[in-house]
Every structure is written in C-alpha cells, then in structure tokens.
PDB file of all heavy atoms in Angstrom:
ATOM      1  N   ALA A   1      12.584   3.103  -7.093  1.00 98.00           N
ATOM      2  CA  ALA A   1      13.736   2.269  -7.409  1.00 98.00           C
ATOM      3  C   ALA A   1      13.459   1.336  -8.583  1.00 98.00           C
ATOM      4  O   ALA A   1      14.316   1.152  -9.464  1.00 98.00           O
ATOM      5  CB  ALA A   1      14.138   1.450  -6.178  1.00 98.00           C
ATOM      6  N   TYR A   2      12.269   0.752  -8.606  1.00 98.00           N
ATOM      7  CA  TYR A   2      11.916  -0.203  -9.661  1.00 98.00           C
ATOM      8  C   TYR A   2      11.906   0.467 -11.036  1.00 98.00           C
ATOM      9  O   TYR A   2      12.451  -0.070 -12.007  1.00 98.00           O
ATOM     10  CB  TYR A   2      10.544  -0.786  -9.350  1.00 98.00           C
ATOM     11  CG  TYR A   2      10.174  -2.034 -10.122  1.00 98.00           C
ATOM     12  CD1 TYR A   2      10.834  -3.238  -9.907  1.00 98.00           C
ATOM     13  CD2 TYR A   2       9.119  -2.025 -11.036  1.00 98.00           C
ATOM     14  CE1 TYR A   2      10.476  -4.389 -10.587  1.00 98.00           C
ATOM     15  CE2 TYR A   2       8.747  -3.174 -11.724  1.00 98.00           C
ATOM     16  CZ  TYR A   2       9.429  -4.354 -11.499  1.00 98.00           C
ATOM     17  OH  TYR A   2       9.066  -5.496 -12.175  1.00 98.00           O
ATOM     18  N   ALA A   3      11.315   1.645 -11.108  1.00 97.00           N
ATOM     19  CA  ALA A   3      11.242   2.351 -12.388  1.00 97.00           C
ATOM     20  C   ALA A   3      12.621   2.776 -12.872  1.00 97.00           C
ATOM     21  O   ALA A   3      12.971   2.597 -14.041  1.00 97.00           O
ATOM     22  CB  ALA A   3      10.323   3.565 -12.255  1.00 97.00           C
ATOM     23  N   LEU A   4      13.430   3.349 -11.967  1.00 98.00           N
ATOM     24  CA  LEU A   4      14.745   3.837 -12.376  1.00 98.00           C
ATOM     25  C   LEU A   4      15.686   2.694 -12.737  1.00 98.00           C
ATOM     26  O   LEU A   4      16.559   2.849 -13.598  1.00 98.00           O
ATOM     27  CB  LEU A   4      15.364   4.709 -11.277  1.00 98.00           C
ATOM     28  CG  LEU A   4      15.078   6.216 -11.402  1.00 98.00           C
ATOM     29  CD1 LEU A   4      13.588   6.508 -11.304  1.00 98.00           C
ATOM     30  CD2 LEU A   4      15.854   7.006 -10.346  1.00 98.00           C
ATOM     31  N   LYS A   5      15.505   1.552 -12.077  1.00 98.00           N
ATOM     32  CA  LYS A   5      16.313   0.390 -12.445  1.00 98.00           C
ATOM     33  C   LYS A   5      15.911  -0.132 -13.825  1.00 98.00           C
ATOM     34  O   LYS A   5      16.775  -0.390 -14.676  1.00 98.00           O
ATOM     35  CB  LYS A   5      16.159  -0.721 -11.410  1.00 98.00           C
ATOM     36  CG  LYS A   5      16.888  -2.006 -11.813  1.00 98.00           C
ATOM     37  CD  LYS A   5      16.588  -3.170 -10.899  1.00 98.00           C
ATOM     38  CE  LYS A   5      17.285  -4.435 -11.442  1.00 98.00           C
ATOM     39  NZ  LYS A   5      17.077  -5.615 -10.587  1.00 98.00           N
ATOM     40  N   ASN A   6      14.609  -0.296 -14.050  1.00 97.00           N
ATOM     41  CA  ASN A   6      14.141  -0.934 -15.272  1.00 97.00           C
ATOM     42  C   ASN A   6      14.441  -0.129 -16.524  1.00 97.00           C
ATOM     43  O   ASN A   6      14.680  -0.711 -17.586  1.00 97.00           O
ATOM     44  CB  ASN A   6      12.640  -1.210 -15.177  1.00 97.00           C
ATOM     45  CG  ASN A   6      12.328  -2.348 -14.234  1.00 97.00           C
ATOM     46  OD1 ASN A   6      13.146  -3.237 -14.021  1.00 97.00           O
ATOM     47  ND2 ASN A   6      11.137  -2.331 -13.648  1.00 97.00           N
ATOM     48  N   ASN A   7      14.422   1.213 -16.417  1.00 95.00           N
ATOM     49  CA  ASN A   7      14.770   1.985 -17.615  1.00 95.00           C
ATOM     50  C   ASN A   7      16.222   2.439 -17.584  1.00 95.00           C
ATOM     51  O   ASN A   7      16.613   3.349 -18.315  1.00 95.00           O
ATOM     52  CB  ASN A   7      13.812   3.167 -17.837  1.00 95.00           C
ATOM     53  CG  ASN A   7      13.758   4.102 -16.658  1.00 95.00           C
ATOM     54  OD1 ASN A   7      14.765   4.341 -15.991  1.00 95.00           O
ATOM     55  ND2 ASN A   7      12.579   4.651 -16.386  1.00 95.00           N
ATOM     56  N   GLN A   8      17.019   1.774 -16.737  1.00 97.00           N
ATOM     57  CA  GLN A   8      18.470   1.916 -16.694  1.00 97.00           C
ATOM     58  C   GLN A   8      18.934   3.347 -16.415  1.00 97.00           C
ATOM     59  O   GLN A   8      19.983   3.767 -16.895  1.00 97.00           O
ATOM     60  CB  GLN A   8      19.095   1.393 -18.000  1.00 97.00           C
ATOM     61  CG  GLN A   8      18.771  -0.067 -18.263  1.00 97.00           C
ATOM     62  CD  GLN A   8      19.420  -0.591 -19.528  1.00 97.00           C
ATOM     63  OE1 GLN A   8      19.811   0.165 -20.411  1.00 97.00           O
ATOM     64  NE2 GLN A   8      19.517  -1.904 -19.630  1.00 97.00           N
ATOM     65  N   ARG A   9      18.149   4.055 -15.592  1.00 98.00           N
ATOM     66  CA  ARG A   9      18.565   5.401 -15.213  1.00 98.00           C
ATOM     67  C   ARG A   9      19.445   5.391 -13.978  1.00 98.00           C
ATOM     68  O   ARG A   9      20.243   6.306 -13.774  1.00 98.00           O
ATOM     69  CB  ARG A   9      17.326   6.293 -14.953  1.00 98.00           C
ATOM     70  CG  ARG A   9      17.682   7.706 -14.518  1.00 98.00           C
ATOM     71  CD  ARG A   9      18.518   8.406 -15.585  1.00 98.00           C
ATOM     72  NE  ARG A   9      19.103   9.659 -15.113  1.00 98.00           N
ATOM     73  CZ  ARG A   9      20.365   9.795 -14.672  1.00 98.00           C
ATOM     74  NH1 ARG A   9      21.155   8.719 -14.594  1.00 98.00           N
ATOM     75  NH2 ARG A   9      20.825  10.953 -14.293  1.00 98.00           N
ATOM     76  N   ALA A  10      19.326   4.388 -13.119  1.00 98.00           N
ATOM     77  CA  ALA A  10      20.095   4.352 -11.885  1.00 98.00           C
ATOM     78  C   ALA A  10      20.635   2.951 -11.636  1.00 98.00           C
ATOM     79  O   ALA A  10      20.080   1.962 -12.109  1.00 98.00           O
ATOM     80  CB  ALA A  10      19.223   4.790 -10.702  1.00 98.00           C
ATOM     81  N   THR A  11      21.721   2.899 -10.873  1.00 98.00           N
ATOM     82  CA  THR A  11      22.291   1.643 -10.420  1.00 98.00           C
ATOM     83  C   THR A  11      21.883   1.434  -8.967  1.00 98.00           C
ATOM     84  O   THR A  11      22.122   2.308  -8.122  1.00 98.00           O
ATOM     85  CB  THR A  11      23.822   1.664 -10.521  1.00 98.00           C
ATOM     86  OG1 THR A  11      24.206   1.863 -11.892  1.00 98.00           O
ATOM     87  CG2 THR A  11      24.419   0.361 -10.011  1.00 98.00           C
ATOM     88  N   LEU A  12      21.249   0.308  -8.668  1.00 98.00           N
ATOM     89  CA  LEU A  12      20.802   0.012  -7.312  1.00 98.00           C
ATOM     90  C   LEU A  12      21.867  -0.786  -6.576  1.00 98.00           C
ATOM     91  O   LEU A  12      22.366  -1.801  -7.092  1.00 98.00           O
ATOM     92  CB  LEU A  12      19.493  -0.774  -7.336  1.00 98.00           C
ATOM     93  CG  LEU A  12      18.189   0.033  -7.425  1.00 98.00           C
ATOM     94  CD1 LEU A  12      18.140   0.879  -8.684  1.00 98.00           C
ATOM     95  CD2 LEU A  12      16.983  -0.879  -7.339  1.00 98.00           C
ATOM     96  N   ILE A  13      22.209  -0.340  -5.373  1.00 98.00           N
ATOM     97  CA  ILE A  13      23.251  -0.978  -4.572  1.00 98.00           C
ATOM     98  C   ILE A  13      22.685  -1.241  -3.178  1.00 98.00           C
ATOM     99  O   ILE A  13      22.163  -0.331  -2.539  1.00 98.00           O
ATOM    100  CB  ILE A  13      24.505  -0.089  -4.483  1.00 98.00           C
ATOM    101  CG1 ILE A  13      25.076   0.167  -5.888  1.00 98.00           C
ATOM    102  CG2 ILE A  13      25.558  -0.717  -3.574  1.00 98.00           C
ATOM    103  CD1 ILE A  13      26.265   1.114  -5.904  1.00 98.00           C
ATOM    104  N   GLY A  14      22.784  -2.480  -2.716  1.00 98.00           N
ATOM    105  CA  GLY A  14      22.289  -2.793  -1.375  1.00 98.00           C
ATOM    106  C   GLY A  14      21.564  -4.114  -1.322  1.00 98.00           C
ATOM    107  O   GLY A  14      22.010  -5.112  -1.887  1.00 98.00           O
ATOM    108  N   GLU A  15      20.416  -4.110  -0.643  1.00 98.00           N
ATOM    109  CA  GLU A  15      19.641  -5.321  -0.403  1.00 98.00           C
ATOM    110  C   GLU A  15      18.335  -5.317  -1.200  1.00 98.00           C
ATOM    111  O   GLU A  15      17.857  -4.251  -1.613  1.00 98.00           O
ATOM    112  CB  GLU A  15      19.300  -5.425   1.090  1.00 98.00           C
ATOM    113  CG  GLU A  15      20.506  -5.459   1.996  1.00 98.00           C
ATOM    114  CD  GLU A  15      20.152  -5.330   3.470  1.00 98.00           C
ATOM    115  OE1 GLU A  15      18.992  -4.953   3.775  1.00 98.00           O
ATOM    116  OE2 GLU A  15      21.023  -5.592   4.307  1.00 98.00           O
ATOM    117  N   THR A  16      17.764  -6.496  -1.396  1.00 98.00           N
ATOM    118  CA  THR A  16      16.440  -6.599  -2.008  1.00 98.00           C
ATOM    119  C   THR A  16      15.420  -5.917  -1.100  1.00 98.00           C
ATOM    120  O   THR A  16      15.449  -6.080   0.117  1.00 98.00           O
ATOM    121  CB  THR A  16      16.061  -8.071  -2.219  1.00 98.00           C
ATOM    122  OG1 THR A  16      17.025  -8.675  -3.091  1.00 98.00           O
ATOM    123  CG2 THR A  16      14.678  -8.196  -2.836  1.00 98.00           C
ATOM    124  N   THR A  17      14.528  -5.160  -1.695  1.00 97.00           N
ATOM    125  CA  THR A  17      13.595  -4.335  -0.929  1.00 97.00           C
ATOM    126  C   THR A  17      12.434  -5.169  -0.359  1.00 97.00           C
ATOM    127  O   THR A  17      12.322  -6.370  -0.604  1.00 97.00           O
ATOM    128  CB  THR A  17      13.045  -3.201  -1.797  1.00 97.00           C
ATOM    129  OG1 THR A  17      12.305  -3.767  -2.893  1.00 97.00           O
ATOM    130  CG2 THR A  17      14.179  -2.334  -2.349  1.00 97.00           C
ATOM    131  N   GLY A  18      11.541  -4.492   0.385  1.00 93.00           N
ATOM    132  CA  GLY A  18      10.509  -5.172   1.175  1.00 93.00           C
ATOM    133  C   GLY A  18       9.418  -5.880   0.399  1.00 93.00           C
ATOM    134  O   GLY A  18       8.822  -6.831   0.902  1.00 93.00           O
ATOM    135  N   GLY A  19       9.096  -5.436  -0.806  1.00 93.00           N
ATOM    136  CA  GLY A  19       8.108  -6.140  -1.623  1.00 93.00           C
ATOM    137  C   GLY A  19       6.662  -5.744  -1.416  1.00 93.00           C
ATOM    138  O   GLY A  19       5.778  -6.597  -1.398  1.00 93.00           O
ATOM    139  N   GLY A  20       6.392  -4.430  -1.292  1.00 90.00           N
ATOM    140  CA  GLY A  20       5.018  -3.937  -1.172  1.00 90.00           C
ATOM    141  C   GLY A  20       4.650  -3.049  -2.340  1.00 90.00           C
ATOM    142  O   GLY A  20       5.024  -1.878  -2.377  1.00 90.00           O
ATOM    143  N   ALA A  21       3.922  -3.588  -3.305  1.00 91.00           N
ATOM    144  CA  ALA A  21       3.670  -2.851  -4.545  1.00 91.00           C
ATOM    145  C   ALA A  21       2.244  -2.322  -4.686  1.00 91.00           C
ATOM    146  O   ALA A  21       2.025  -1.334  -5.382  1.00 91.00           O
ATOM    147  CB  ALA A  21       3.979  -3.742  -5.755  1.00 91.00           C
ATOM    148  N   HIS A  22       1.277  -2.961  -4.051  1.00 89.00           N
ATOM    149  CA  HIS A  22      -0.124  -2.661  -4.343  1.00 89.00           C
ATOM    150  C   HIS A  22      -0.604  -1.397  -3.648  1.00 89.00           C
ATOM    151  O   HIS A  22      -0.443  -1.236  -2.453  1.00 89.00           O
ATOM    152  CB  HIS A  22      -1.019  -3.838  -3.943  1.00 89.00           C
ATOM    153  CG  HIS A  22      -0.711  -5.075  -4.711  1.00 89.00           C
ATOM    154  ND1 HIS A  22      -0.987  -6.339  -4.233  1.00 89.00           N
ATOM    155  CD2 HIS A  22      -0.135  -5.248  -5.925  1.00 89.00           C
ATOM    156  CE1 HIS A  22      -0.609  -7.229  -5.136  1.00 89.00           C
ATOM    157  NE2 HIS A  22      -0.082  -6.595  -6.156  1.00 89.00           N
ATOM    158  N   GLY A  23      -1.215  -0.507  -4.402  1.00 84.00           N
ATOM    159  CA  GLY A  23      -1.763   0.732  -3.869  1.00 84.00           C
ATOM    160  C   GLY A  23      -3.258   0.621  -3.625  1.00 84.00           C
ATOM    161  O   GLY A  23      -3.931  -0.275  -4.128  1.00 84.00           O
ATOM    162  N   GLY A  24      -3.777   1.529  -2.829  1.00 85.00           N
ATOM    163  CA  GLY A  24      -5.206   1.511  -2.539  1.00 85.00           C
ATOM    164  C   GLY A  24      -5.596   2.641  -1.626  1.00 85.00           C
ATOM    165  O   GLY A  24      -5.126   3.756  -1.781  1.00 85.00           O
ATOM    166  N   GLY A  25      -6.428   2.362  -0.642  1.00 84.00           N
ATOM    167  CA  GLY A  25      -6.883   3.412   0.251  1.00 84.00           C
ATOM    168  C   GLY A  25      -7.535   2.834   1.496  1.00 84.00           C
ATOM    169  O   GLY A  25      -7.844   1.641   1.565  1.00 84.00           O
ATOM    170  N   PRO A  26      -7.767   3.679   2.514  1.00 88.00           N
ATOM    171  CA  PRO A  26      -8.397   3.224   3.751  1.00 88.00           C
ATOM    172  C   PRO A  26      -9.904   3.083   3.588  1.00 88.00           C
ATOM    173  O   PRO A  26     -10.535   3.859   2.876  1.00 88.00           O
ATOM    174  CB  PRO A  26      -8.051   4.337   4.739  1.00 88.00           C
ATOM    175  CG  PRO A  26      -7.932   5.554   3.887  1.00 88.00           C
ATOM    176  CD  PRO A  26      -7.385   5.098   2.571  1.00 88.00           C
ATOM    177  N   HIS A  27     -10.459   2.085   4.252  1.00 91.00           N
ATOM    178  CA  HIS A  27     -11.906   1.836   4.214  1.00 91.00           C
ATOM    179  C   HIS A  27     -12.424   1.741   5.645  1.00 91.00           C
ATOM    180  O   HIS A  27     -11.887   0.988   6.461  1.00 91.00           O
ATOM    181  CB  HIS A  27     -12.210   0.526   3.482  1.00 91.00           C
ATOM    182  CG  HIS A  27     -11.922   0.562   2.013  1.00 91.00           C
ATOM    183  ND1 HIS A  27     -12.877   0.232   1.071  1.00 91.00           N
ATOM    184  CD2 HIS A  27     -10.803   0.894   1.323  1.00 91.00           C
ATOM    185  CE1 HIS A  27     -12.347   0.352  -0.140  1.00 91.00           C
ATOM    186  NE2 HIS A  27     -11.078   0.750  -0.002  1.00 91.00           N
ATOM    187  N   ARG A  28     -13.483   2.463   5.923  1.00 93.00           N
ATOM    188  CA  ARG A  28     -14.122   2.388   7.235  1.00 93.00           C
ATOM    189  C   ARG A  28     -14.844   1.051   7.356  1.00 93.00           C
ATOM    190  O   ARG A  28     -15.620   0.658   6.472  1.00 93.00           O
ATOM    191  CB  ARG A  28     -15.120   3.539   7.402  1.00 93.00           C
ATOM    192  CG  ARG A  28     -15.856   3.568   8.756  1.00 93.00           C
ATOM    193  CD  ARG A  28     -16.897   4.681   8.735  1.00 93.00           C
ATOM    194  NE  ARG A  28     -17.571   4.853  10.021  1.00 93.00           N
ATOM    195  CZ  ARG A  28     -18.623   4.145  10.427  1.00 93.00           C
ATOM    196  NH1 ARG A  28     -19.115   3.188   9.638  1.00 93.00           N
ATOM    197  NH2 ARG A  28     -19.184   4.391  11.607  1.00 93.00           N
ATOM    198  N   LEU A  29     -14.571   0.327   8.449  1.00 95.00           N
ATOM    199  CA  LEU A  29     -15.225  -0.949   8.698  1.00 95.00           C
ATOM    200  C   LEU A  29     -16.408  -0.789   9.638  1.00 95.00           C
ATOM    201  O   LEU A  29     -17.525  -1.220   9.332  1.00 95.00           O
ATOM    202  CB  LEU A  29     -14.228  -1.949   9.284  1.00 95.00           C
ATOM    203  CG  LEU A  29     -13.024  -2.298   8.400  1.00 95.00           C
ATOM    204  CD1 LEU A  29     -12.035  -3.160   9.166  1.00 95.00           C
ATOM    205  CD2 LEU A  29     -13.473  -2.992   7.126  1.00 95.00           C
TER     206      LEU A  29
END
C-alpha cells in the first residue's frame, strides 16, 4: 500500500494501517 500510494499508482480508501515496517528474521534464544 505504501509503495503504490507514494508513486500515485493507487488510491487508498479506509483506515490508517497498523504500522509495522521493519523486516528481519527469527533467532533461536
């Protein structure tokens, strides 16, 4: 959604999204 909105490819309709942007991976503790 963020990419398509910012380069004006799509119109977003609804509510503000959850706000989880950071990627990574699982780590054994």
Side-chain angles (χ1 to χ4, degrees):
Y2 195 68
L4 268 62
K5 175 188 176 178
N6 287 333
N7 57 36
Q8 301 182 340
R9 179 60 191 98
T11 299
L12 274 60
I13 300 176
E15 301 170 346
T16 300
T17 63
H22 297 155
H27 291 234
R28 180 185 185 276
L29 299 173

